[in-house]
Amino acid sequence: MKHFYFIWITMFVLLTHAGVSNAQQTPSESAAEKIKAIQIQYLSQKLNLTPEEAQKFWPVYNNYTHEVEQLIAERHQKRDQEKIATDNADDAARRNMDKELKYEKRMLDIKSRYSTEFQRVLPGRKAGMVFKSEREFRTIMVNHLNTQRMNRMGGGPRRRP
């Protein structure tokens, strides 16, 4: 439980810190770097990586995330291109379903390949926790960002008098 609070405090500080950023960076790049730093800390702590394990794990994990990000970017680019072209709705729906299944298969292929790689560089127990820990981190971040958005919009939790 102590680790959970530490992570929340770290996320809060990094996401709300209005420090000086590099003049070359856009705000979204700076936020992405902060989130990446928090994710690294979260995964390191959740997987309880030793220095030797971390040295082997992070290059493999970085390759994995790079491939996943490329696939996601490709998917978004194709979706944007398809929005422009309109034709028969039924045919478009069938094509979209086929494309979505191909995307899911490619994502599964990437995860399967890297599951083997993670098992090569980490003990089995830790390798088995990589994808789960990654999902947990995303869930925490989404919840945190949604809470921030609601608070900015004035829709935070209401208190009774």
Side-chain angles (χ1 to χ4, degrees):
M1 195 66 167
K2 185 168 46 170
H3 294 295
F4 182 74
Y5 288 119
F6 176 75
I7 292 165
W8 272 108
I9 290 169
T10 303
M11 285 188 343
F12 177 78
V13 169
L14 287 175
L15 290 175
T16 59
H17 186 271
V20 179
S21 65
N22 187 345
Q24 299 291 328
Q25 288 184 321
T26 65
S28 63
E29 288 174 342
S30 178
E33 285 181 11
K34 288 178 183 178
I35 291 170
K36 188 71 174 170
I38 295 168
Q39 182 183 27
I40 288 169
Q41 183 178 13
Y42 181 85
L43 289 175
S44 293
Q45 211 169 21
K46 196 74 173 174
L47 298 175
N48 196 22
L49 297 174
T50 66
E52 296 80 23
E53 290 169 345
Q55 188 176 14
K56 294 176 185 175
F57 171 74
W58 287 113
V60 174
Y61 185 79
N62 290 337
N63 290 338
Y64 157 72
T65 56
H66 180 71
E67 283 190 44
V68 168
E69 288 168 358
Q70 280 184 320
L71 180 60
I72 291 170
E74 180 183 318
R75 179 186 195 193
H76 287 295
Q77 182 182 16
K78 287 181 180 179
R79 276 189 182 167
D80 291 344
Q81 291 171 351
E82 290 170 1
K83 286 180 183 177
I84 297 170
T86 58
D87 54 356
N88 185 341
D90 288 337
D91 290 339
R94 281 187 200 97
R95 280 194 311 275
N96 286 340
M97 187 169 52
D98 290 342
K99 288 176 184 175
E100 188 65 23
L101 288 172
K102 287 177 185 174
Y103 164 79
E104 293 293 335
K105 183 183 181 318
R106 287 177 60 196
M107 183 65 77
L108 181 60
D109 290 344
I110 291 170
K111 286 187 173 190
S112 295
R113 188 172 71 250
Y114 278 96
S115 175
T116 303
E117 289 294 314
F118 293 144
Q119 291 174 41
R120 189 178 56 79
V121 298
L122 293 175
R125 179 182 52 81
K126 292 181 181 184
M129 291 175 52
V130 172
F131 295 129
K132 180 181 182 233
S133 299
E134 189 180 45
R135 278 191 310 274
E136 288 173 354
F137 176 77
R138 277 195 306 269
T139 300
I140 290 169
M141 286 303 300
V142 167
N143 290 340
H144 178 74
L145 293 173
N146 284 338
T147 300
Q148 276 189 329
R149 184 178 303 126
M150 290 300 290
N151 289 339
R152 278 195 308 263
M153 295 172 54
R158 298 178 191 247
R159 296 183 183 166
R160 293 185 181 176

